[in-house]
Amino acid sequence: MAMKRVGSSAVRALTFSAFTRHLHASPGSKKIVGVFYKANEYASLNPNFLGCAENALGIRGWLESQGHQYIVTPDKDGPNCELDKHIPDLHVLISTPFHPAYVTAERIKKAKNLQLLLTAGIGSDHIDLKAAAEAGLTVAEVTGSNTVSVAEDELMRILILVRNYLPGYHQVISGEWDVAAIAHRAYDLEGKTVGTVGAGRIGRLLLQRLKPFNCNLLYHDRLQMDPKLESEIGATFEEDLDAMLPKCDIIVINTPLTEKTKGMFNKEKIAKLKKGVLIVNNARGAIMDTQAVADACSSGHIGGYSGDVWYPQPAPKDHPWRYMPNQAMTPHISGTTIDAQLRYAAGTKDMLDRYFKGEDFPAQNYIVKDGELASQYR
């Protein structure tokens, strides 16, 4: 990804931070902390289930054989959590979007030895990126590791909503049989207008997978696709997001969470969408106004909402999305398939190895480097 200059404050941060934090590991043992979800009895059921706390990306033996300390915990929140006990002296913190360790400016300030923040997966918005840049930290993720996983999941969710699948499933397990209760709001995907807000790696893959369904495909992004690729996919670029959204029968969120996109879909924006619109959001929960979505689902203005991202995560038991009608929500699972875990575990190990050797990471993996934020987070 392009790493453009961001202005005088970032340059000042770089000038100062160059003397305080260094990406490349100095000689000696390093303390590495990983924060992953607990798998309990499921941890041993699949040898490739690497993304859980018990299996810890499969790198424990490798790290410890080199003399490094590897602490793994699922306990990440609250004043007395296990993570906070290790913040003052850790060198590397690894987390995932599925069970994110929220790295605040306060935590960064306390982490005097911290050099590297790694996301095992895609999406580093759980980190205060501005504070990380100002502190001279490096933030990186395993770019591309779960793009296929998320795009496939989005397509599944579109079909679940369009075909009104969940009420039928619930009927079966509750012993009921009422075809009309399902069929009165079940549709074909063919001929519908689908718009993606964001057409990066995941958004493009989704559009490619939607093409055989003969939909009207629209996309909004900072950058227009290469004309040849755009023609192959059959998608139309919409420069004006507010002009695109009311055209859509189905909206898919594929944009990063930034200061600009936080709360983007508020009450006012939702009111301008088609009545009965279907929304799929596997990007980040905080892009949506939580209560505005719940209210619109209750009123029927949003005909169906599905996704796997919440704010915060894990979602509290009283989160309104758990109880709103016409939803097909799950925990954050789309990017943590076994195939994705193998990819992001390997990518994390590769970056750690490069860190120990003093080598640069693949350019596309950097989210913060030398005081600068990657372009999608500016």
Side-chain angles (χ1 to χ4, degrees), residues 136-165:
L137 300 176
T138 295
V139 181
E141 58 189 40
V142 191
T143 299
S145 59
N146 53 18
T147 52
V148 169
S149 313
V150 177
E152 288 183 358
D153 188 272
E154 289 177 342
L155 178 56
M156 174 189 72
R157 291 175 191 275
I158 290 171
L159 289 167
I160 284 172
L161 293 178
V162 169
R163 302 306 294 263
N164 203 24
Y165 172 82

Side-chain angles (χ1 to χ4, degrees), residues 199 204 219-231 235-239:
R204 289 196 301 269
Y219 74 96
H220 169 80
D221 197 83
R222 296 180 299 116
L223 303 171
Q224 188 169 359
M225 290 183 203
D226 175 80
K228 183 179 178 182
L229 177 61
E230 189 178 80
S231 177
T236 300
F237 176 62
E238 295 275 347
E239 186 173 4

